Amino acid sequence: MNLDEILTQVPIDDIAQRFGVSHEVARQAVREGGATLLGGLSKNAETAGGSAAIEKALQRHGGSAGAQKVDDVDEADGEKIVKHVLGDRKGEVTEKLNTSEKTAGGIDFGKLLPILAPIIMGILANRTKKGGGGGLSDILGGLLGGSGGSSSGGLGGLGDVLGGLFGGRR
C-alpha cells in the first residue's frame, strides 16, 4: 500500500467542492495533508507507548473503508486524532502547510486535517486487519518509503515540514 492507494479512498471531489478549489488543488492538499498525518503516526509509532495508542485507535476505526462524502466524516473525532498525532505542534504544522508553495491554493489545513484523519485511520485499520505479516511500523514505513521514522521521501517532498516537526532539519 502506498499514498496513491490511500488517495483513491479519499473523496477528493467532495473536498474540492467543500473548499471551493479545483480537483488538482484538492488532490495535492490531500497528498500533503495525508503525508503529514502518516509521518506523525510513524513518529508516534517509534515508541512502545505510542505504537500501543495507535493500535488501540485503529481498533476503534476498523471497518471504515474511507468516506464517500466529507459530510460522512466525524470531524470532531478527526480533530482529536490530529491533536494526538501532531500534539502541540498542530498550529505550526498547519501554518507551514498553509504557506507552502506546493499547496498554496485556498485550502485551510486546519480544517482539512480533521477531515483526512478519520479516513486515513479507517484505511490503516483495515490494512492492519488484513495482516499478511508486519505490524503497524512496517505498514507506516512502507507508506513513507522507508522503514518508519520521519522520512518523507515517498510522500512528495515534505521534508521541511516533517523534518522540522519531528526533529530533522528546520
Side-chain angles (χ1 to χ4, degrees), residues 3-14:
L3 185 59
D4 288 329
E5 291 176 75
I6 289 175
L7 290 177
T8 65
Q9 299 178 55
V10 176
I12 293 175
D13 287 330
D14 202 39

Side-chain angles (χ1 to χ4, degrees), residues 59-136:
Q59 289 173 1
R60 288 194 310 268
H61 289 89
S64 51
Q68 297 303 311
K69 295 209 165 274
V70 171
D71 292 341
D72 297 339
V73 175
D74 181 351
E75 291 181 52
D77 184 44
E79 187 64 45
K80 291 176 189 173
I81 295 167
V82 172
K83 177 66 175 160
H84 188 78
V85 170
L86 301 179
D88 294 337
R89 294 194 172 175
K90 178 186 175 227
E92 176 186 342
V93 171
T94 57
E95 180 62 27
K96 283 184 179 182
L97 288 168
N98 284 336
T99 58
S100 168
E101 288 180 26
K102 271 188 134 171
T103 57
I107 289 188
D108 179 352
F109 281 88
K111 294 179 180 175
L112 178 63
L113 293 179
I115 293 170
L116 287 178
I119 296 170
I120 289 173
M121 291 297 284
I123 294 166
L124 289 176
N126 290 332
R127 177 70 177 182
T128 58
K129 279 185 187 177
K130 289 180 183 175
L136 175 64

Side-chain angles (χ1 to χ4, degrees), residues 124-154:
L124 289 176
N126 290 332
R127 177 70 177 182
T128 58
K129 279 185 187 177
K130 289 180 183 175
L136 175 64
S137 60
D138 289 340
I139 291 170
L140 290 171
L143 287 168
L144 294 168
S147 59
S150 61
S151 166
S152 60

